[in-house]
Amino acid sequence: MTEGSFQSRDSHDGDEEIWLRRARAGSVPRHVAFIMDGNGRWAQKRGLPRTEGHRAGVESLRAVIPALVNLGVPFATFYAFSTENWKRPAEEVRFLFDLLVQYSKEDRRELMERGVKLRAIGQVDELPRAVRAAIWELERETSSGRNLTVNVALNYGSRQEILRAVKEIARSFVGGEIDLEKLSEAQFAAYLYTAGQPDPDLIIRTSGEMRLSNFLLWQGAYSELYFTEVLWPEFRPIHLYKAVVDYAGRRRRFGGIEA
Ligand code: IPE
Ligand code: IPE
Ligand code: MG
């Protein structure tokens, strides 16, 4: 993993170029969320330790971020560590956090140059000090990014996020700051980590699993779901473009009827 290695990933092979053009021609989602799954299986298929799958997964992230910028998607969320992922062996958890610290150092400049603003969402205060420091630094350095906002869901669980919002609302109520009768969905959403952002139009999950695993349950109420058998370490811009083309072909009714 060397700095500046983004550049080479900008060169599209023919197929990729075609799918990019198709994706741009249709309706481009304002917010794409990714459940980056299948790292362990990717490694196991190769006789490697699971951790090598996570390392390879970082390369997919590196390839997909510029692709989102190319497409003109303004918001993206990547599910990197769930509140349930603490059930994994301590070494694997530690490896994931180390990888994040390493990524934040190696890719900071690149993210800044591309106008990418990075934020962590989740119970970040429960993470090891070195991880918190790396995130804080990365958030600060990229805060002026205007092309793409990337949420990294870290120690994130949707139920925890909703419960946290409810507790905060209860505190505000006790303090006489809010009128419960007037509390709207929009006001509730302002208590979530994604406050001020559009809901995900498209949620992509790799590796063939078809579930949400406690991801963006409130925000995803009307998201289009896209499942692919591709394992996260194999996921490349062309797969994103294909997902976006699929998305653009869908009819989102939001409970209404066809116009
Ligand atoms: C996703 O890959 C990465 C994280 C959850 C951190 P997995 O590690 O879940 O890979 P599989 O699902 O076991 O193949
Ligand atoms: C979801 O993947 C969490 C992340 C991608 C970070 P998991 O691999 O943890 O989900 P389950 O256990 O298969 O539902
Ligand atoms: Mg998994």
Side-chain angles (χ1 to χ4, degrees), residues 35-41 50 54 85 88 92 205-207 209 211 213:
I35 303 176
M36 308 185 283
D37 200 11
N39 294 353
R41 276 163 283 167
R50 292 177 52 84
H54 298 315
N85 286 148
R88 297 183 179 210
E92 183 175 340
R205 184 169 188 150
T206 55
S207 88
E209 306 295 351
R211 56 177 167 264
S213 302

Side-chain angles (χ1 to χ4, degrees), residues 239-253:
H239 302 114
L240 169 67
Y241 304 147
K242 285 182 178 177
V244 168
V245 169
D246 188 277
Y247 160 84
R250 297 186 189 186
R251 280 191 291 275
R252 301 182 78 186
R253 285 184 286 270

